[in-house]
C-alpha cells in the first residue's frame, strides 16, 4: 500500500461520506414512505414510493464499491468498481429529483441529499487520484 492510503477503510473521507449518504437516504426514505404508502383516490399506489427505496439501495452500494476498488489489485477491475460508483452516484441524483416531484412534505430534505452527493463527488475525484 502507498503511504497516503489509509490502512483502515473507515479512515477514508470518501468512505465516511458514503456512509453518511446512506444514513441520510434511509432517513429520507422512512419519512417519505409514511406519506407515499397510502393509495391514491383511484386505488393505485404512488409510483414515487419505489424511488424512495431506490435511493436507499443505491446509497447502500456506495461504500462496498469504494471498498472493492480500494482493495482490488488489478487496475481493470478497479476501474470497473469506480465506474459502478459513478453510475450509482448519478442514479442517486436522478432519483432525488424524481422524488422531489412527489406529493410529500419530505421532499424538502432532498436538496440536503444532493448537496451531500456534490461533496461526495469531490471526495470521489480526489480519492480516485490516489488509486
Amino acid at each position: 500500500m502507498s503511504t497516503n492510503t489509509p490502512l483502515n477503510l473507515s479512515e477514508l473521507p470518501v468512505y465516511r461520506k458514503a456512509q453518511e449518504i446512506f444514513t441520510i437516504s434511509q432517513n429520507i426514505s422512512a419519512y417519505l414512505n409514511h406519506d407515499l404508502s397510502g393509495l391514491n383516490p383511484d386505488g393505485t399506489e404512488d409510483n414515487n414510493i419505489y424511488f424512495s427505496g431506490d435511493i436507499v439501495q443505491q446509497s447502500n452500494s456506495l461504500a462496498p464499491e469504494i471498498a472493492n476498488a480500494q482493495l482490488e489489485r488489478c487496475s481493470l477491475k478497479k476501474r470497473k468498481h469506480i465506474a459502478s460508483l459513478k453510475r450509482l452516484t448519478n442514479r442517486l441524483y436522478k432519483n432525488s429529483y424524481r422524488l422531489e416531484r412527489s406529493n410529500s412534505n419530505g421532499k424538502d430534505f432532498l436538496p440536503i441529499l444532493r448537496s451531500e452527493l456534490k461533496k461526495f463527488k469531490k471526495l470521489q475525484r480526489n480519492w480516485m487520484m490516489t488509486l
Side-chain angles (χ1 to χ4, degrees):
M1 293 191 139
S2 65
T3 56
N4 61 354
T5 304
L7 297 175
N8 191 353
L9 281 173
S10 63
E11 295 175 14
L12 285 171
V14 70
Y15 189 82
R16 287 195 309 263
K17 183 57 74 177
Q19 291 175 325
E20 286 177 28
I21 289 171
F22 174 63
T23 304
I24 292 168
S25 297
Q26 274 186 313
N27 291 333
I28 290 172
S29 179
Y31 192 86
L32 289 173
N33 279 342
H34 180 70
D35 289 343
L36 301 176
S37 62
L39 294 177
N40 293 329
D42 62 354
T44 60
E45 62 187 2
D46 191 337
N47 288 331
N48 292 317
I49 196 162
Y50 296 112
F51 297 128
S52 68
D54 288 347
I55 64 168
V56 173
Q57 183 181 14
Q58 291 157 355
S59 63
N60 188 33
S61 300
L62 293 175
E65 284 298 331
I66 293 168
N68 290 337
Q70 186 71 29
L71 300 174
E72 186 61 56
R73 292 180 184 259
C74 175
S75 64
L76 182 61
K77 291 180 182 178
K78 200 175 280 236
R79 281 190 225 128
K80 286 183 180 182
H81 291 295
I82 291 169
S84 176
L85 188 63
K86 287 180 180 180
R87 280 192 305 274
L88 286 167
T89 307
N90 289 335
R91 285 184 192 148
L92 272 165
Y93 254 97
K94 281 184 184 177
N95 287 333
S96 72
Y97 279 113
R98 287 176 177 160
L99 279 171
E100 201 164 34
R101 291 189 301 249
S102 69
N103 188 20
S104 171
N105 295 333
K107 64 185 177 184
D108 298 336
F109 297 113
L110 292 164
I112 296 169
L113 175 62
R114 282 195 298 274
S115 80
E116 292 302 313
L117 284 169
K118 285 179 186 176
K119 293 174 190 175
F120 178 72
K121 281 187 171 187
K122 287 180 184 177
L123 290 171
Q124 184 181 350
R125 281 191 297 269
N126 293 337
W127 167 71
M128 288 184 334
M129 300 292 236
T130 66
L131 293 178

